[in-house]
Amino acid sequence: MCIRDRVKSAQPDEVAMMLETAQRVVIVPGFGMAMAQAQHAVRELANALEKNGTEVEYGIHPVAGRMPGHMNVLLAEANVSYDLLAEPDDVNPAMDSVDVAIVIGANDVVNPSATEEEGSPIYGMPIIEVHNAKTVFVLKRSMSSGFAGVQNPLFFRENTRMLFGDAKESIGLVVSEFKD
């Protein structure tokens, strides 16, 4: 059995349907957002959610992307208010009250192995604990590991669904479905 067959995948209409009823959403951008240049699509999604009455926050890991502050710069380019950006220490304590966490191409910075598997090469690294959210949607092109080369058990969790494809395209499809 292929590793991709062991995960639960989602389609854009399913993601939009879950987002419709969400009260609180945390968006966690990573290198995949940068590669797809999806920051404007992410902001469009956040605008649609906010218009629907959803509280939207961005979980920003200091080392997400290829350099410290990479996500901050990209989101600033898309006119995302700096006030909506939260670091792990700020967003993690309330993650269990998050209805939907949307992970966009981040991998190592949301990998629960860092807190749960003592033998893991990333054990002890601070992460954004999206696995504690009620539902997690992970947008990725493939099941490949992140920069650290460590498989991410988040992808196989009961509360996680994978939306495969280019982040900009996938978010655009979710926004279209959400607006319909």
Side-chain angles (χ1 to χ4, degrees):
M1 177 188 292
C2 167
I3 194 167
R4 194 166 168 166
D5 293 335
R6 294 187 359 229
V7 300
K8 293 176 231 59
S9 61
Q11 297 303 314
D13 60 330
E14 296 169 279
V15 177
M17 197 166 63
M18 287 291 295
L19 290 172
E20 231 175 16
T21 59
Q23 296 297 305
R24 184 161 185 239
V25 171
V26 172
I27 298 171
V28 181
F31 186 65
M33 183 185 81
M35 285 299 296
Q37 297 182 348
Q39 62 270 27
H40 295 284
V42 168
R43 179 63 190 154
E44 185 180 2
L45 175 60
N47 286 346
L49 290 168
E50 289 165 349
K51 194 180 270 188
N52 194 46
T54 305
E55 177 188 338
V56 178
E57 186 175 30
Y58 297 81
I60 306 298
H61 196 285
V63 298
R66 288 294 189 244
M67 62 186 164
H70 193 183
M71 298 302 106
N72 299 50
V73 171
L74 293 176
L75 292 171
E77 178 187 306
N79 296 317
V80 171
S81 171
Y82 194 76
D83 295 341
L84 297 175
L85 308 185
E87 292 194 8
D89 288 344
D90 298 322
V91 75
N92 283 343
M95 191 58 75
D96 61 350
S97 69
V98 170
D99 295 305
V100 178
I102 303 171
V103 178
I104 306 169
N107 200 335
D108 297 326
V109 299
V110 296
N111 190 329
S113 295
T115 59
E116 299 173 351
E117 294 179 33
E118 287 189 32
S120 172
I122 62 170
Y123 184 76
M125 180 182 94
I127 61 166
I128 298 178
E129 298 171 357
V130 297
H131 58 278
N132 292 327
K134 293 174 183 131
T135 302
V136 182
F137 290 109
V138 178
L139 283 69
K140 281 183 61 73
R141 291 180 189 267
S142 71
M143 289 295 295
S144 64
S145 59
F147 190 75
V150 177
Q151 180 61 255
N152 192 335
L154 171 70
F155 303 161
F156 306 98
R157 296 252 173 142
E158 190 58 39
N159 64 332
T160 301
R161 302 290 180 273
M162 304 293 291
L163 179 56
F164 291 107
D166 174 81
K168 186 176 180 179
E169 257 179 55
S170 295
I171 293 167
L173 292 169
V174 170
V175 169
S176 292
E177 290 287 340
F178 189 81
K179 288 181 176 179
D180 285 346

